Amino acid sequence: MQLHFSPSMRSITILSSNSNNGGFIDLMKIKVAARHLSYRTLFHTILILAFLLPFVFILTALVTLEGVDKCSSFDCLGRRLGPRLLGRVDDSERLVKDFYKVLNQVDTEEIPDGLKLPDSFSELVSEMKNNQYDAKTFGFMLRAMMEKFEREIRESKFAELMNKHFAASSIPKGIHCLSLRLTDEYSSNAHARRQLPSPELLPLLSDNSYHHFILSTDNILAASVVVTSAVQSSLKPEKIVFHVITDKKTYAGMHSWFALNPVSPAIVEVKGIHQFDWLTRENVPVLEAVENHDGIRNYYHGNHVAGANLSDTTPRTFASKLQARSPKYISLLNHLRIYIPELFPHLDKVVFLDDDIAIQRDLSPLWEIDLGGKVNGAVETCRGEDEWVMSKRFRNYFNFSHPLIAKHLDPEECAWAYGMNIFDLRAWRKTNIRETYHSWLKENLKSNLTMWKLGTLPPALIAFKGHVHPIDPLWHLLGLGYQNKTSIESVKKAAVIHYNGQSKPWLQIGFEHLRPFWAKYVNYSNDFVRNCHILET
């Protein structure tokens, strides 16, 4: 860029170099009125030029970069840069607006019939180039492809949930093998049939100075973990008495395991349901009805997809319905907890445990908790923020559109957890908890399961209403079988960790990072465990 003064000093011309021809472009000419310039006028002129020249330089650079360096006048330059400086819309913005308009049409109109969809985005682009699609056709094809992929993903998710339900409801080959081998051992090995506990320890089974645990299960491996973890975590294992209750088919194998793998100094008693004189059909008529009711059996063992409108069901809702249809919910072993005062008439206080737990801390302080005259010491499940486990109220378990439910229950009442419960049996025997449980179970049967769906907890929430004493949540951490987002730090702090949900730690669908907290209590060196290929993972 150069300044050129005319010989007469009547004008000053600003010249810009032209890169194409090596010459100069006449960019700006300033005429001076007077023939002779005073120094003051010249000074002011140069001062003005000092302010103008940077802007002229920037504008010239823009023109050059955009390939319009042949634009040799301000008129041309103004036509190019004026719309930007004045905020006018250029062609690209107008194209975007037109594209939005097309997208709105595609979103609101029906997809044309017979539209052939490509299998991938690259194939779509190729077809678009070959067939010269307009924007609207392209939009319809893109929308149809997305809807197709969404349907396929949704169907895949429902299939995954069904497979997970079947996996959770089945017995793994290794655990089935363990039960069969131990049952065979019971018939052939006298040591596997030895009395549990030994005769001199029998009086301790009803000694209330000991810490009595009750476990009801038909899973031998799970039972071994519960008992082993309790003994290893205890500061006073010599004060522990375990009452393991199982069904008739598993009794021999369960007895063999604890006879061949004692957990001294703790005491273990194994009893089958058939060995309790009190458990007669006359005393538990409701359970007989549950087991023999055709509608109940079809509900828990039938086709879980038939009749389900999957198009209007979210995967999470479907998962909850599948969980509610687990066959374990009609098992007598699952309902057995409601009869504990009658099954153990000489005991005053017990801790009831589910079989899908592991114990990480001494539980003896539980017997020192003052329940304040209440029957059931339990962790409340409405005090957390996660939506799967610790934010449960009565509305999550009951159908409040049913008139009996709406009349007697409060949807906002806090729920509590089964799985690690302190039961004051003396206080329990003064109540009508069992009768209330039976009566509501009957009402739900009459209503064809329209009052609630999920197993033993809903009737227990009603039966124990007013009889629950909340205990510190650190005693019982739930949800390790529901979600893999469980905090590892929370797991480490909890006294009892509970794998409630479908992803049990002994299943392949168990969460890998949560399984080790349970698996460390499995004796993988045991011959029966090794021979059944129950391998450490």
Side-chain angles (χ1 to χ4, degrees):
M1 184 177 292
Q2 295 183 3
L3 292 179
H4 179 70
F5 294 86
S6 68
S8 62
M9 298 296 290
R10 286 179 176 274
S11 67
I12 301 172
T13 305
I14 302 172
L15 301 176
S16 176
S17 61
N18 190 331
S19 60
N20 291 334
N21 53 29
F24 290 89
I25 298 175
D26 182 359
L27 192 62
M28 183 183 297
K29 181 177 285 188
I30 303 173
K31 291 184 178 181
V32 182
R35 181 178 180 85
H36 301 286
L37 289 172
S38 67
Y39 287 108
R40 179 176 295 180
T41 303
L42 183 61
F43 173 76
H44 286 105
T45 301
I46 293 173
L47 190 62
I48 292 170
L49 290 174
F51 281 104
L52 287 176
L53 285 177
F55 296 103
V56 173
F57 175 78
I58 293 170
L59 293 175
T60 305
L62 286 172
V63 171
T64 303
L65 288 172
E66 292 187 359
V68 292
D69 50 323
K70 293 181 181 179
C71 216
S72 59
S73 67
F74 271 102
D75 179 60
C76 176
L77 196 62
R79 288 197 306 271
R80 301 289 298 183
L81 300 176
R84 298 181 187 177
L85 298 176
L86 297 175
R88 289 168 55 187
V89 177
D90 61 12
D91 291 342
S92 63
E93 293 179 359
R94 190 160 50 249
L95 284 173
V96 170
K97 286 187 175 180
D98 291 342
F99 186 61
Y100 286 155
K101 183 178 179 181
V102 171
L103 288 180
N104 286 330
Q105 291 177 344
V106 169
D107 187 46
T108 54
E109 296 178 13
E110 293 292 329
I111 297 176
D113 293 333
L115 193 65
K116 184 180 177 182
L117 300 181
D119 294 325
S120 65
F121 182 76
S122 59
E123 189 177 327
L124 172 63
V125 173
S126 177
E127 288 189 14
M128 184 179 70
K129 291 179 180 178
N130 295 334
N131 300 320
Q132 297 295 309
Y133 291 146
D134 57 26
K136 191 172 182 180
T137 304
F138 174 75
F140 272 125
M141 295 193 73
L142 201 58
R143 174 188 162 192
M145 287 178 65
M146 291 181 66
E147 291 181 356
K148 174 190 173 186
F149 292 147
E150 285 175 357
R151 285 194 301 271
E152 290 176 352
I153 292 172
R154 183 181 176 83
E155 291 170 0
S156 175
K157 183 63 177 177
F158 283 121
E160 176 193 349
L161 292 172
M162 279 300 303
N163 291 335
K164 192 172 183 179
H165 173 74
F166 291 138
S169 303
S170 62
I171 301 173
K173 184 178 179 180
I175 292 179
H176 183 60
C177 164
L178 184 66
S179 180
L180 290 178
R181 286 178 176 269
L182 287 167
T183 300
D184 181 65
E185 194 72 11
Y186 184 84
S187 63
S188 60
N189 184 346
H191 190 60
R193 295 193 302 272
R194 70 182 181 86
Q195 185 174 345
L196 289 178
S198 55
E200 66 274 14
L201 298 177
L202 287 177
L204 302 182
L205 297 178
S206 56
D207 188 337
N208 283 294
S209 66
Y210 282 72
H211 300 148
H212 294 267
F213 294 92
I214 295 176
L215 173 65
S216 176
T217 180
D218 60 354
N219 186 328
I220 298 173
L221 185 67
S224 73
V225 167
V226 175
V227 174
T228 301
S229 64
V231 173
Q232 290 185 10
S233 303
S234 176
L235 298 178
K236 299 178 180 179
E238 69 279 1
K239 299 292 289 184
I240 289 179
V241 178
F242 257 97
H243 305 268
V244 180
I245 307 173
T246 190
D247 56 19
K248 191 172 184 178
K249 66 179 175 58
T250 314
Y251 170 76
M254 188 77 74
H255 188 105
S256 292
W257 175 267
F258 288 106
L260 298 173
N261 301 280
V263 288
S264 300
I267 299 168
V268 178
E269 173 194 34
V270 178
K271 295 196 74 172
I273 292 176
H274 58 288
Q275 295 175 318
F276 286 98
D277 296 334
W278 187 86
L279 282 176
T280 63
R281 292 298 180 185
E282 292 74 23
N283 289 328
V284 288
V286 176
L287 295 184
E288 182 178 14
V290 168
E291 290 178 348
N292 296 328
H293 194 285
D294 289 338
I296 301 294
R297 296 196 66 80
N298 288 336
Y299 179 80
Y300 286 101
H301 294 283
N303 188 338
H304 300 329
V305 179
N309 187 0
L310 298 184
S311 60
D312 293 334
T313 303
T314 65
R316 178 177 173 178
T317 301
F318 186 64
S320 297
K321 289 181 178 179
L322 288 177
Q323 173 69 12
R325 296 177 76 163
S326 173
K328 73 175 185 178
Y329 291 128
I330 58 173
S331 164
L332 178 56
L333 282 174
N334 201 41
H335 289 271
L336 202 65
R337 63 196 79 187
I338 203 68
Y339 306 115
I340 289 176
E342 289 77 23
L343 299 181
F344 300 95
H346 302 294
L347 296 182
D348 295 337
K349 200 171 192 178
V350 301
V351 169
F352 172 82
L353 299 171
D354 272 349
D355 64 356
D356 51 355
I357 62 107
I359 298 165
Q360 304 184 125
R361 211 167 73 215
D362 178 41
L363 298 186
S364 57
L366 292 177
W367 275 264
E368 307 304 320
I369 294 177
D370 182 6
L371 298 182
K374 304 292 187 181
V375 173
N376 180 4
V379 168
E380 292 183 313
T381 54
C382 67
R383 307 300 181 188
E385 296 180 356
D386 71 287
E387 56 186 355
W388 278 104
V389 182
M390 296 303 291
S391 56
K392 302 295 186 183
R393 297 183 181 272
F394 275 30
R395 64 171 179 267
N396 299 109
Y397 295 99
F398 297 100
N399 173 20
F400 277 87
S401 63
H402 193 287
L404 273 179
I405 296 294
K407 180 180 179 181
H408 292 92
L409 302 180
D410 176 7
E412 297 305 313
E413 186 164 347
C414 189
W416 46 268
Y418 258 154
M420 200 285 292
N421 303 83
I422 313 162
F423 288 133
D424 184 337
L425 301 185
R426 290 173 299 180
W428 189 339
R429 294 185 185 102
K430 299 175 184 177
T431 70
N432 60 347
I433 289 174
R434 175 166 58 91
E435 291 73 17
T436 303
Y437 185 92
H438 279 183
S439 118
W440 279 91
L441 208 55
K442 287 179 182 178
E443 289 295 336
N444 196 32
L445 288 174
K446 289 179 186 176
S447 72
N448 199 25
L449 300 181
T450 58
M451 298 168 74
W452 69 79
K453 299 291 186 185
L454 186 64
T456 56
L457 182 56
L461 291 175
I462 302 175
F464 283 99
K465 192 170 168 26
H467 299 291
V468 179
H469 176 80
I471 62 174
D472 193 322
L474 286 176
W475 283 114
H476 185 191
L477 177 66
L478 297 109
L480 277 71
Y482 272 119
Q483 54 182 350
N484 60 4
K485 296 179 182 178
T486 304
S487 164
I488 295 298
E489 289 305 313
S490 298
V491 173
K492 292 177 179 178
K493 293 177 183 177
V496 173
I497 52 175
H498 194 171
Y499 293 81
N500 58 314
Q502 291 181 316
S503 300
K504 304 299 185 189
W506 55 81
L507 300 174
Q508 290 296 322
I509 59 174
F511 300 126
E512 291 293 335
H513 65 297
L514 298 177
R515 181 181 289 134
F517 293 95
W518 178 89
K520 66 182 179 181
Y521 298 109
V522 177
N523 182 8
Y524 289 100
S525 63
N526 180 275
D527 288 341
F528 291 99
V529 172
R530 285 192 297 105
N531 291 335
C532 287
H533 305 288
I534 301 175
L535 303 177
E536 186 171 8
T537 57

